[in-house]
Amino acid sequence: EIKTILGYNVPLNISILYFCNFSEEHVQAKDKYLVKILTVACKKAITKKWNKADPPNLDQWLQIVEEIYWMEKLTHIMRLQKTQMEEKWKKWMSYRNKDSDTEI
């Protein structure tokens, strides 16, 4: 799903997923912040399901990302940085609005 959001593939290796150790060849500079958020959401989904038989699913991950999005939005609005927030989250907003755009 990260590929769908970003529009390109990010290698799934330990260095990138757990340590956010990526180079320009793996993640575009403008997307580094969002990739960090998406991987943090993955880790949080795993910890919520820790020690349970069923693994986290896509809907749970998307819900966590959406919760982070709203907290980030509120923080940026309070700091009068709404434009900066919109730039960081542009690909996420486009992804989550894709269904509503097709229905119009």
Side-chain angles (χ1 to χ4, degrees):
E1 208 60 21
I2 291 175
K3 180 180 180 180
T4 305
I5 294 168
L6 297 176
Y8 58 89
N9 196 25
V10 176
L12 301 177
N13 64 47
I14 291 173
S15 179
I16 291 173
L17 292 178
Y18 290 102
F19 303 117
C20 294
N21 187 16
F22 33 72
S23 65
E24 292 292 321
E25 73 181 60
H26 298 123
V27 177
Q28 296 173 9
K30 65 182 180 178
D31 295 333
K32 285 185 178 184
Y33 184 83
L34 184 57
V35 170
K36 287 179 184 180
I37 296 293
L38 297 175
T39 57
V40 163
C42 291
K43 294 172 199 173
K44 185 168 182 166
I46 291 169
T47 59
K48 282 186 169 187
K49 291 295 212 165
W50 196 257
N51 210 16
K52 295 194 171 121
D54 57 324
N57 62 41
L58 181 61
D59 289 334
Q60 292 164 337
W61 176 71
L62 293 172
Q63 181 180 3
I64 292 167
V65 175
E66 191 66 16
E67 290 170 5
I68 295 169
Y69 166 79
W70 282 104
M71 293 305 293
E72 287 275 312
K73 185 171 184 169
L74 291 172
T75 300
H76 281 80
I77 289 171
M78 289 177 18
R79 293 181 180 168
L80 304 174
Q81 299 174 336
K82 187 177 178 188
T83 306
Q84 182 185 27
M85 184 270 179
E86 289 171 348
E87 188 61 35
K88 289 178 182 178
W89 286 84
K90 185 187 321 184
K91 290 187 177 181
W92 169 256
M93 291 185 295
S94 177
Y95 169 79
R96 75 181 176 120
N97 293 330
K98 73 178 181 196
D99 292 330
S100 62
D101 288 344
T102 57
E103 292 175 4
I104 295 176

